[in-house]
Amino acid sequence: MAGEPEKCLSVIGFCLICLKMVSSNLSAPEIPTIDQAYSKISNSITVEWATVPGATSYLLTAKDGDTVIETIVSSSPGTVTGLKAATLYQITIRSISAAGRSQASPPKQAKTVLAAPILEVSSPSPDSILVQWETVYMATGFSVSIMQANGLGRIWKENTTNTSLTFSSLDAGTLYTIKAYAWNANGIPGDDSTCNQRTSPRAPANFQVSFDSGTLKASISWTPTEGAFNYTVMALGGSSELSCRTSFSSCTISSLQCGTEYLISVLASNDAGCSKSTSEVTLKTVACAPGRVTIQEDPPGHLSVAWPNVNLGEYYVAFVKSDDGLEVHCNTSLTMCDFLSECGFTYFISIFAYNKAGQSPLGDVFNYTTAPCCPSDINPVFVSGDRVEIVWSPARGAELYETKAVDGYNVIECNDTAPACTLSALECDTKYNITVYSFSEVRGSNMSCTSRIITTAPCSPEIKNVSKDAFSVINVHWRSTNDDATYTVTAQGEKGLYRCSSKGESCTLEGLPCGSAFSITAVAETQAGQSLPSYSVPLETVPCCAAGLTVTQVTQSVINVSWTLGTGVQTYVAVLESQAGQSTCHTHENHCLLGCITCGLNYTVALKAVSATGLTADCAFQSYSSSVCCPLGVKLYRLGPNGIRIYWQASRGSANYSTDLYGSKGIFTCAPSSSLSFCDVTEIPCGDVYTVMVSPVAATGLKLTFCPQKIYSVTCSGSTLGMVIYRGKRNE
């Protein structure tokens, strides 16, 4: 490894020896000679020279003081660029070959031409172009030419020492090519500068404006202008400035304001600028719809609609449409209209202003709701002493009904959304002034509704007492404060209804059946209606008297009084009365036994019926004569073989008697005359036991059977007068 560096150095040395041998065989190229050097462009100089044999390229050098600019070219001529305008340079050239570079040629001076002026062009008017530039270094004058860019037409050329120049009498809206250069004191021209400039267009002519009142748009059209790229339409009115821009020959401006007068102009523009404005056109838009509309209803049924004047308004049309679809309008040059109105409607009011441009846009729609209609058919469906129910047909526009009942000092109110009302807590038999007011939330109450007089039903009478006279007639007395009322008293019981009527304070119930319970009430009735019944009063008629009173003498001292049961009777009282005294009997049955009767006396028999509450009816009264006393000392005597005489001792007073003999072989009867106290029975069989009874005979012919009976045995013997043997009394 130590021997490697030495080996490399040997190789390098060999290579250098070879190069030295090659270079010794080549020579540098000849020095070229500059024929001429000149400048046509302000930043370059062109050099011409004779070709050097063996040269592959040339090195051009331009020197200005310390500044050296070099460039390699392949052949003559060659150009050095990147130089300063109007500057003197030392120009040299070297030839280059494979053997190297030659020495520099003798220098030659050359000066760059003037720089091109930097142009600023504009078209101040449609027929002129203004060319401006800054001063060019070392320039003593300028030459400017102009022609149409399409090559048509003439060429204008102007020389000047100024830095601006105006070309006039040009065609509007036409593209021109402008060329300018400067020259120095020697008259040598410098670089030229070329640019294009279009003249500005002329203002459009023959433009027309049409206005759409419905959309507040204006359409403007015009004759196209030569060379115009775009058009701008301006609409100036008040504080509003609107515009539209287009490349066509018409344009529409939207969002115009109503009631505004606009000045409209059209400008054409291209890359040179805008045309001057032509005469302006005045456009009057439609008037705005009136605001601050005042609506009054005075008197009811008449709507007065008023509004302020609006700008550009010539006349007005007011439309009034009710919520049932009916619409009316008025056309006026004034600022108010009158309309007929009806209650309970909502009216929608629109005001339009008109001028030659047309109808104003729709403004605010105002609405006015008239007072709700009054109920017209108030009808009481129920009237009582303290309550009135009234109904009515729904009133148009009414959302609520306010019902008031006034009786002078007191006011009863009822509010409801339904077309009905029940007024409670009223005074009976009182006139009320009842008014139903309709109410709406928008307009409030309609206070023009008429009232109606309704009188409540009469007050209930108060029964003071119920009395009965001697003839079982019921008199009912009551108390009431009603005016001009008819009172009806009703007695209701199981036996039916009984009524009596009167305009006073009492009436008489007749024909009520006995032995019945009744509930008595009284009602008052007027044209307003009927009162509630009074509190009921119980009434019990006297019990029904027994029918068929019968008095039967059971024994000489006892009678039986019987009768048919009557209605409503709980107990009976039978009274037997004579000069000697009185005997009574209480029973709940239909008969009664009265004792201690004295025979042969006149009595009065009376019967009373008593109800459960103690009501008494004197049912019967009749005379009764007790029977004659039974005879005493009854004896039998034999009269022959087949005859018997019955003998007795008559009681006081005269009486008829009847004698009966009851035996196994028959009954034998005899009746003596009233003056005798014996009676004979013939043809009576002997040998039998007979029961003998001597009975008084009543005036009616009824034979009394309660006298004592005696038993006798009649034997058959041989004698003519047989023996009659007394066997004793017969037990009843």
Side-chain angles (χ1 to χ4, degrees):
M1 294 300 293
E4 289 298 323
E6 295 180 357
K7 185 176 181 179
C8 289
L9 290 174
S10 298
V11 173
I12 292 172
F14 175 77
C15 291
L16 291 174
I17 293 172
C18 290
L19 288 173
K20 186 176 181 181
M21 291 178 64
V22 172
S23 62
S24 63
N25 294 328
L26 296 176
S27 61
E30 296 179 358
I31 299 173
T33 300
I34 298 175
D35 293 335
Q36 61 176 342
Y38 55 88
S39 174
K40 291 185 177 181
I41 300 176
S42 62
N43 66 345
S44 67
I45 294 176
T46 300
V47 182
E48 294 181 0
W49 67 91
T51 302
V52 175
T56 59
S57 60
Y58 302 90
L59 175 63
L60 298 177
T61 302
K63 183 176 181 182
D64 172 26
D66 295 333
T67 302
V68 177
I69 297 176
E70 295 180 337
T71 185
I72 296 176
V73 296
S74 60
S75 63
S76 178
T79 301
V80 181
T81 60
L83 307 180
K84 293 185 291 183
T87 302
L88 184 62
Y89 285 91
Q90 296 288 332
I91 305 298
T92 60
I93 186 170
R94 296 174 187 267
S95 59
I96 301 173
S97 67
R101 295 181 179 181
S102 69
Q103 295 294 318
S105 68
K108 195 174 186 69
Q109 288 186 340
K111 191 175 185 178
T112 54
V113 298
L114 300 181
I118 299 174
L119 302 179
E120 292 182 6
V121 291
S122 62
S123 178
S125 66
D127 62 349
S128 66
I129 291 178
L130 172 63
V131 184
Q132 294 175 307
W133 58 89
E134 294 181 359
T135 301
V136 177
Y137 177 67
M138 298 298 290
T140 59
F142 300 93
S143 180
V144 182
S145 62
I146 186 170
M147 65 177 297
Q148 292 186 14
N150 57 11
L152 301 178
R154 56 171 289 193
I155 299 175
W156 287 270
K157 184 174 182 180
E158 297 285 343
N159 293 327
T160 182
T161 58
N162 297 323
T163 57
S164 65
L165 187 65
T166 298
F167 292 94
S168 58
S169 300
L170 303 179
D171 293 335
T174 303
L175 183 64
Y176 285 88
T177 299
I178 298 99
K179 182 182 288 186
Y181 62 88
W183 67 81
N184 59 17
N186 297 324
I188 300 175
D191 286 347
D192 58 22
S193 194
T194 302
C195 66
N196 290 331
Q197 175 63 47
R198 194 182 304 273
T199 51
S200 59
R202 296 188 184 278
N206 302 323
F207 70 90
Q208 297 179 345
V209 179
S210 63
F211 177 69
D212 186 348
S213 61
T215 59
L216 289 178
K217 295 180 180 179
S219 295
I220 303 97
S221 61
W222 55 88
T223 301
T225 298
E226 181 68 30
F229 293 171
N230 295 292
Y231 300 92
T232 301
V233 180
M234 302 293 294
L236 303 178
S239 60
S240 174
E241 180 176 339
L242 301 173
S243 65
C244 66
R245 186 176 176 86
T246 181
S247 59
F248 300 102
S249 59
S250 64
C251 187
T252 299
I253 295 181
S254 304
S255 304
L256 295 174
Q257 295 181 354
C258 59
T260 304
E261 184 173 346
Y262 287 92
L263 293 177
I264 296 180
S265 60
V266 181
L267 300 178
S269 63
N270 55 21
D271 51 359
C274 294
S275 65
K276 301 297 182 182
S277 61
T278 59
S279 58
E280 298 171 323
V281 174
T282 299
L283 171 65
K284 292 182 179 181
T285 63
V286 294
C288 295
R292 302 193 309 275
V293 174
T294 301
I295 306 170
Q296 292 181 334
E297 186 184 15
D298 187 21
H302 293 80
L303 282 183
S304 178
V305 183
W307 57 89
N309 266 319
V310 295
N311 189 33
L312 301 183
E314 298 176 2
Y315 66 95
Y316 304 91
V317 177
F319 293 89
V320 175
K321 185 175 183 179
S322 59
D323 50 11
D324 64 349
L326 181 64
E327 184 177 68
V328 295
H329 71 277
C330 94
N331 190 327
T332 180
S333 60
L334 304 177
T335 58
M336 65 175 297
C337 277
D338 292 325
F339 298 91
L340 295 177
S341 62
E342 295 183 35
C343 60
F345 276 113
T346 296
Y347 292 93
F348 300 93
I349 301 166
S350 303
I351 313 295
F352 293 92
Y354 288 83
N355 58 20
K356 292 183 177 62
Q359 173 185 292
S360 67
L362 176 64
D364 293 333
V365 177
F366 301 89
N367 65 73
Y368 183 88
T369 301
T370 55
C373 297
C374 293
S376 58
D377 54 349
I378 300 174
N379 184 32
V381 295
F382 177 80
V383 177
S384 69
D386 61 351
R387 185 161 51 99
V388 172
E389 295 180 14
I390 56 176
V391 296
W392 56 87
S393 297
R396 187 174 59 233
E399 300 171 357
L400 181 73
Y401 300 96
E402 299 175 335
T403 305
K404 291 186 179 181
V406 181
D407 66 349
Y409 301 101
N410 300 317
V411 178
I412 307 297
E413 295 186 2
C414 164
N415 296 336
D416 204 332
T417 56
C421 178
T422 299
L423 296 166
S424 304
L426 305 179
E427 297 292 335
C428 56
D429 194 42
T430 302
K431 289 183 179 180
Y432 284 91
N433 194 339
I434 296 179
T435 309
V436 179
Y437 301 98
S438 51
F439 175 87
S440 68
E441 185 176 357
V442 174
R443 195 56 55 202
S445 295
N446 187 345
M447 303 306 293
S448 64
C449 300
T450 58
S451 59
R452 175 172 179 174
I453 301 297
I454 297 179
T455 303
T456 53
C459 302
S460 298
E462 178 185 354
I463 297 178
K464 294 191 293 185
N465 63 71
V466 179
S467 63
K468 297 183 286 290
D469 62 14
F471 300 100
S472 298
V473 175
I474 308 300
N475 293 312
V476 181
H477 300 265
W478 59 83
R479 180 176 60 198
S480 179
T481 59
N482 299 311
D483 294 331
D484 194 24
T486 299
Y487 298 89
T488 300
V489 175
T490 302
Q492 183 175 8
E494 295 180 356
K495 298 296 182 65
L497 295 175
Y498 297 84
R499 292 186 176 91
C500 66
S501 298
S502 172
K503 285 185 172 292
E505 293 189 345
S506 66
C507 72
T508 301
L509 290 170
E510 296 180 350
L512 271 65
C514 60
S516 299
F518 291 91
S519 174
I520 296 180
T521 56
V523 294
E525 187 171 3
T526 63
Q527 290 183 348
Q530 191 177 75
S531 72
L532 293 174
S534 65
Y535 294 116
S536 63
V537 174
L539 171 67
E540 182 182 0
T541 57
V542 295
C544 294
C545 289
L549 179 65
T550 303
V551 180
T552 304
Q553 192 153 356
V554 179
T555 66
Q556 185 170 287
S557 62
V558 177
I559 63 172
N560 181 47
V561 182
S562 61
W563 55 86
T564 303
L565 292 176
T567 304
V569 183
Q570 187 178 53
T571 59
Y572 293 93
V573 178
V575 179
L576 183 64
E577 187 174 9
S578 68
Q579 296 177 351
Q582 185 183 72
S583 177
T584 60
C585 168
H586 292 265
T587 182
H588 61 275
E589 298 178 350
N590 65 338
H591 61 88
C592 186
L593 293 175
L594 293 170
C596 300
I597 301 299
T598 300
C599 56
L601 287 180
N602 290 327
Y603 287 89
T604 298
V605 179
L607 181 65
K608 296 182 179 181
V610 183
S611 68
T613 61
L615 286 180
T616 301
D618 294 325
C619 295
F621 180 83
Q622 69 179 51
S623 297
Y624 174 73
S625 296
S626 62
S627 65
V628 179
C629 295
C630 290
L632 301 175
V634 176
K635 295 180 181 180
L636 271 66
Y637 294 95
R638 186 71 178 264
L639 296 177
N642 296 320
I644 291 295
R645 170 171 288 182
I646 301 98
Y647 177 82
W648 62 87
Q649 183 181 346
S651 62
R652 62 181 179 273
S654 61
N656 294 323
Y657 295 91
S658 175
T659 302
D660 295 303
L661 282 78
Y662 301 93
S664 62
K665 296 178 181 181
I667 300 174
F668 303 93
T669 301
C670 71
S673 63
S674 60
S675 61
L676 298 178
S677 60
F678 64 89
C679 178
D680 296 334
V681 178
T682 60
E683 301 300 329
I684 183 172
C686 62
D688 199 355
V689 176
Y690 291 93
T691 299
V692 179
M693 184 175 63
V694 179
S695 303
V697 178
T700 59
L702 180 63
K703 182 169 58 177
L704 302 179
T705 60
F706 51 75
C707 289
Q709 298 177 354
K710 292 185 178 181
I711 299 174
Y712 290 91
S713 174
V714 179
T715 62
C716 293
S717 63
S719 63
T720 302
L721 182 60
M723 181 67 69
V724 178
I725 302 173
Y726 175 60
R727 294 291 182 98
K729 291 182 178 181
R730 181 179 179 180
N731 294 326
E732 296 295 330

